[in-house]
Amino acid sequence: MLHLEPSAIADVIATGGVIAYPTEAVYGLGCDPDNLSAVQALLDVKQRPWEKGLILIASRFEQLLPYLDLSAVTEQQLNAAQAKWPGPFTFVIPAKAEVSPLLRGSFSTIAVRVSAHPGVRAMCDAIDKPLVSTSANLAGEEPALTLAEVETQFSGKIAAAVLGELGTARQPSTIIDIQTGHIFRQG
């Protein structure tokens, strides 16, 4: 498994590689959201059902716009979400119709976050788009908290691991429905 700096990961992502990387609280698995072969490979490696959907993380909100249908979101709802970004808050927002079910799952929405983690931001800036983000663990298992745990679970199954430190959050991000305010997961 390659170990790369966040700024050096662009080629791996561009060629469809699945990567592991530190986030605010746990290691994540990610790939290019527009490469559906890579998204399927990520789902296979994680053994995650596509119906659950995935999160997209970005360094800035504009990177998420190609995936979002903001026509049913009020300015007040959008401002409330943006007031929490960058940070450990994931918002469930209506997805554009053309967004693959591999990303949005069996829903008409997609979960998105603007990250405050410097490594995540560097990766998203290097590829100028969001990354798929899901915790680095087999479905139903505890998320990896160290590079050694990533290697134990995913050696030979992913293209690279990104070097860096976890953030200071103790729990994965809070997930909130932007339209209703319903909290799906408390971080």
Side-chain angles (χ1 to χ4, degrees), residues 2 4 6 11-12 19 24 40 44 60 72 82 97 127 139 149 162 166 177 184 187:
L2 290 173
L4 299 170
D11 288 342
V12 175
I19 62 168
E24 292 87 348
Q40 185 62 60
D44 292 345
R60 58 188 188 283
Q82 290 180 324
I127 63 172
E149 290 175 20
V162 177
L166 294 179
D177 184 310
F184 294 107

mmCIF file of all heavy atoms in Angstrom, residues 2 4 6 11-12 19 24 40 44 60 72 82 97 127 139 149 162 166 177 184 187:
data_model
loop_
_atom_site.group_PDB
_atom_site.id
_atom_site.type_symbol
_atom_site.label_atom_id
_atom_site.label_comp_id
_atom_site.label_asym_id
_atom_site.label_seq_id
_atom_site.Cartn_x
_atom_site.Cartn_y
_atom_site.Cartn_z
ATOM 1 N N LEU A 2 0.678 2.119 -0.959
ATOM 2 C CA LEU A 2 1.409 3.381 -1.006
ATOM 3 C C LEU A 2 1.020 4.270 0.167
ATOM 4 O O LEU A 2 -0.139 4.289 0.578
ATOM 5 C CB LEU A 2 1.063 4.140 -2.291
ATOM 6 C CG LEU A 2 1.566 3.600 -3.608
ATOM 7 C CD1 LEU A 2 0.953 4.406 -4.752
ATOM 8 C CD2 LEU A 2 3.073 3.656 -3.670
ATOM 9 N N LEU A 4 1.101 8.266 0.900
ATOM 10 C CA LEU A 4 1.323 9.518 0.186
ATOM 11 C C LEU A 4 0.874 10.720 1.009
ATOM 12 O O LEU A 4 -0.016 10.618 1.850
ATOM 13 C CB LEU A 4 0.539 9.512 -1.132
ATOM 14 C CG LEU A 4 0.912 8.418 -2.138
ATOM 15 C CD1 LEU A 4 -0.095 8.395 -3.275
ATOM 16 C CD2 LEU A 4 2.312 8.641 -2.666
ATOM 17 N N PRO A 6 -1.164 14.287 1.274
ATOM 18 C CA PRO A 6 -2.455 14.669 0.670
ATOM 19 C C PRO A 6 -2.330 15.318 -0.708
ATOM 20 O O PRO A 6 -3.114 15.027 -1.612
ATOM 21 C CB PRO A 6 -3.041 15.650 1.689
ATOM 22 C CG PRO A 6 -2.446 15.250 2.991
ATOM 23 C CD PRO A 6 -1.046 14.761 2.653
ATOM 24 N N ASP A 11 -3.161 11.841 -8.604
ATOM 25 C CA ASP A 11 -3.004 10.836 -9.665
ATOM 26 C C ASP A 11 -3.681 9.524 -9.307
ATOM 27 O O ASP A 11 -4.279 8.873 -10.169
ATOM 28 C CB ASP A 11 -1.514 10.590 -9.956
ATOM 29 C CG ASP A 11 -0.859 11.754 -10.681
ATOM 30 O OD1 ASP A 11 -1.591 12.589 -11.262
ATOM 31 O OD2 ASP A 11 0.379 11.827 -10.670
ATOM 32 N N VAL A 12 -3.587 9.129 -8.049
ATOM 33 C CA VAL A 12 -4.231 7.882 -7.610
ATOM 34 C C VAL A 12 -5.748 8.001 -7.768
ATOM 35 O O VAL A 12 -6.403 7.090 -8.270
ATOM 36 C CB VAL A 12 -3.855 7.550 -6.147
ATOM 37 C CG1 VAL A 12 -4.620 6.332 -5.645
ATOM 38 C CG2 VAL A 12 -2.355 7.329 -6.018
ATOM 39 N N ILE A 19 -8.735 5.167 -1.786
ATOM 40 C CA ILE A 19 -7.721 5.581 -0.821
ATOM 41 C C ILE A 19 -8.293 5.569 0.594
ATOM 42 O O ILE A 19 -9.504 5.633 0.794
ATOM 43 C CB ILE A 19 -7.182 6.987 -1.142
ATOM 44 C CG1 ILE A 19 -8.309 8.030 -1.071
ATOM 45 C CG2 ILE A 19 -6.504 7.004 -2.512
ATOM 46 C CD1 ILE A 19 -7.834 9.480 -1.080
ATOM 47 N N GLU A 24 -11.564 14.246 10.444
ATOM 48 C CA GLU A 24 -11.683 14.917 11.734
ATOM 49 C C GLU A 24 -11.663 13.945 12.913
ATOM 50 O O GLU A 24 -11.165 14.260 13.979
ATOM 51 C CB GLU A 24 -12.979 15.738 11.797
ATOM 52 C CG GLU A 24 -13.018 16.934 10.883
ATOM 53 C CD GLU A 24 -13.522 16.642 9.468
ATOM 54 O OE1 GLU A 24 -13.648 15.464 9.093
ATOM 55 O OE2 GLU A 24 -13.784 17.604 8.736
ATOM 56 N N GLN A 40 -17.931 1.790 -6.993
ATOM 57 C CA GLN A 40 -18.317 0.393 -6.792
ATOM 58 C C GLN A 40 -17.193 -0.383 -6.105
ATOM 59 O O GLN A 40 -17.450 -1.197 -5.211
ATOM 60 C CB GLN A 40 -18.681 -0.274 -8.122
ATOM 61 C CG GLN A 40 -19.207 -1.697 -7.964
ATOM 62 C CD GLN A 40 -20.497 -1.759 -7.153
ATOM 63 O OE1 GLN A 40 -21.506 -1.169 -7.529
ATOM 64 N NE2 GLN A 40 -20.459 -2.451 -6.020
ATOM 65 N N ASP A 44 -17.420 -2.367 -2.607
ATOM 66 C CA ASP A 44 -17.026 -3.775 -2.517
ATOM 67 C C ASP A 44 -15.994 -3.996 -1.420
ATOM 68 O O ASP A 44 -16.112 -4.936 -0.627
ATOM 69 C CB ASP A 44 -16.469 -4.271 -3.858
ATOM 70 C CG ASP A 44 -17.527 -4.339 -4.954
ATOM 71 O OD1 ASP A 44 -18.741 -4.277 -4.654
ATOM 72 O OD2 ASP A 44 -17.126 -4.443 -6.134
ATOM 73 N N ARG A 60 -14.609 23.246 -0.169
ATOM 74 C CA ARG A 60 -15.481 24.427 -0.233
ATOM 75 C C ARG A 60 -16.818 24.018 -0.861
ATOM 76 O O ARG A 60 -16.888 23.076 -1.642
ATOM 77 C CB ARG A 60 -14.826 25.576 -0.988
ATOM 78 C CG ARG A 60 -14.416 25.275 -2.386
ATOM 79 C CD ARG A 60 -13.590 26.408 -3.010
ATOM 80 N NE ARG A 60 -13.383 26.166 -4.406
ATOM 81 C CZ ARG A 60 -12.510 25.313 -4.915
ATOM 82 N NH1 ARG A 60 -11.738 24.615 -4.121
ATOM 83 N NH2 ARG A 60 -12.394 25.154 -6.215
ATOM 84 N N ALA A 72 -35.280 23.019 -3.911
ATOM 85 C CA ALA A 72 -36.223 22.793 -2.808
ATOM 86 C C ALA A 72 -35.627 23.192 -1.462
ATOM 87 O O ALA A 72 -36.200 22.899 -0.409
ATOM 88 C CB ALA A 72 -36.644 21.328 -2.780
ATOM 89 N N GLN A 82 -24.321 26.420 5.852
ATOM 90 C CA GLN A 82 -23.039 27.062 5.574
ATOM 91 C C GLN A 82 -22.430 27.705 6.822
ATOM 92 O O GLN A 82 -21.213 27.828 6.912
ATOM 93 C CB GLN A 82 -23.189 28.057 4.431
ATOM 94 C CG GLN A 82 -23.417 27.328 3.111
ATOM 95 C CD GLN A 82 -23.572 28.268 1.927
ATOM 96 O OE1 GLN A 82 -24.140 29.338 2.037
ATOM 97 N NE2 GLN A 82 -23.054 27.836 0.788
ATOM 98 N N ALA A 97 -31.003 14.783 -10.257
ATOM 99 C CA ALA A 97 -31.537 13.506 -10.740
ATOM 100 C C ALA A 97 -30.455 12.620 -11.351
ATOM 101 O O ALA A 97 -30.531 11.393 -11.260
ATOM 102 C CB ALA A 97 -32.653 13.753 -11.747
ATOM 103 N N ILE A 127 -7.589 17.886 -6.409
ATOM 104 C CA ILE A 127 -8.403 17.324 -7.497
ATOM 105 C C ILE A 127 -9.516 18.272 -7.930
ATOM 106 O O ILE A 127 -10.233 17.989 -8.875
ATOM 107 C CB ILE A 127 -8.980 15.939 -7.121
ATOM 108 C CG1 ILE A 127 -9.934 16.031 -5.925
ATOM 109 C CG2 ILE A 127 -7.850 14.944 -6.859
ATOM 110 C CD1 ILE A 127 -10.692 14.752 -5.627
ATOM 111 N N ALA A 139 -18.192 -3.026 6.791
ATOM 112 C CA ALA A 139 -19.546 -2.686 7.250
ATOM 113 C C ALA A 139 -19.826 -3.366 8.589
ATOM 114 O O ALA A 139 -19.585 -4.558 8.757
ATOM 115 C CB ALA A 139 -20.567 -3.111 6.207
ATOM 116 N N GLU A 149 -4.342 0.119 11.675
ATOM 117 C CA GLU A 149 -5.664 -0.515 11.564
ATOM 118 C C GLU A 149 -6.143 -0.517 10.119
ATOM 119 O O GLU A 149 -6.745 -1.493 9.666
ATOM 120 C CB GLU A 149 -6.678 0.199 12.462
ATOM 121 C CG GLU A 149 -6.455 -0.021 13.937
ATOM 122 C CD GLU A 149 -7.399 0.800 14.812
ATOM 123 O OE1 GLU A 149 -8.457 1.260 14.329
ATOM 124 O OE2 GLU A 149 -7.070 0.987 15.994
ATOM 125 N N VAL A 162 -3.252 7.925 2.823
ATOM 126 C CA VAL A 162 -2.746 9.288 2.927
ATOM 127 C C VAL A 162 -2.173 9.489 4.318
ATOM 128 O O VAL A 162 -2.791 9.117 5.324
ATOM 129 C CB VAL A 162 -3.883 10.295 2.652
ATOM 130 C CG1 VAL A 162 -3.396 11.720 2.836
ATOM 131 C CG2 VAL A 162 -4.442 10.086 1.258
ATOM 132 N N LEU A 166 -5.298 12.424 12.540
ATOM 133 C CA LEU A 166 -6.733 12.619 12.735
ATOM 134 C C LEU A 166 -6.950 13.985 13.374
ATOM 135 O O LEU A 166 -6.078 14.501 14.072
ATOM 136 C CB LEU A 166 -7.318 11.543 13.654
ATOM 137 C CG LEU A 166 -7.327 10.110 13.135
ATOM 138 C CD1 LEU A 166 -7.910 9.182 14.200
ATOM 139 C CD2 LEU A 166 -8.120 9.989 11.848
ATOM 140 N N ASP A 177 -30.678 16.580 8.257
ATOM 141 C CA ASP A 177 -31.492 16.839 7.066
ATOM 142 C C ASP A 177 -31.638 18.353 6.931
ATOM 143 O O ASP A 177 -32.186 19.015 7.819
ATOM 144 C CB ASP A 177 -32.867 16.181 7.212
ATOM 145 C CG ASP A 177 -33.722 16.320 5.969
ATOM 146 O OD1 ASP A 177 -33.871 17.448 5.447
ATOM 147 O OD2 ASP A 177 -34.275 15.301 5.518
ATOM 148 N N PHE A 184 -29.938 12.685 11.912
ATOM 149 C CA PHE A 184 -29.841 11.247 11.666
ATOM 150 C C PHE A 184 -28.775 10.601 12.547
ATOM 151 O O PHE A 184 -28.905 9.452 12.938
ATOM 152 C CB PHE A 184 -29.506 10.960 10.199
ATOM 153 C CG PHE A 184 -30.574 11.354 9.244
ATOM 154 C CD1 PHE A 184 -30.418 12.475 8.432
ATOM 155 C CD2 PHE A 184 -31.743 10.618 9.134
ATOM 156 C CE1 PHE A 184 -31.405 12.848 7.543
ATOM 157 C CE2 PHE A 184 -32.734 10.976 8.237
ATOM 158 C CZ PHE A 184 -32.568 12.099 7.438
ATOM 159 N N GLY A 187 -22.988 13.621 16.271
ATOM 160 C CA GLY A 187 -21.534 13.481 16.319
ATOM 161 C C GLY A 187 -20.976 13.902 17.630
ATOM 162 O O GLY A 187 -21.631 14.240 18.561
#
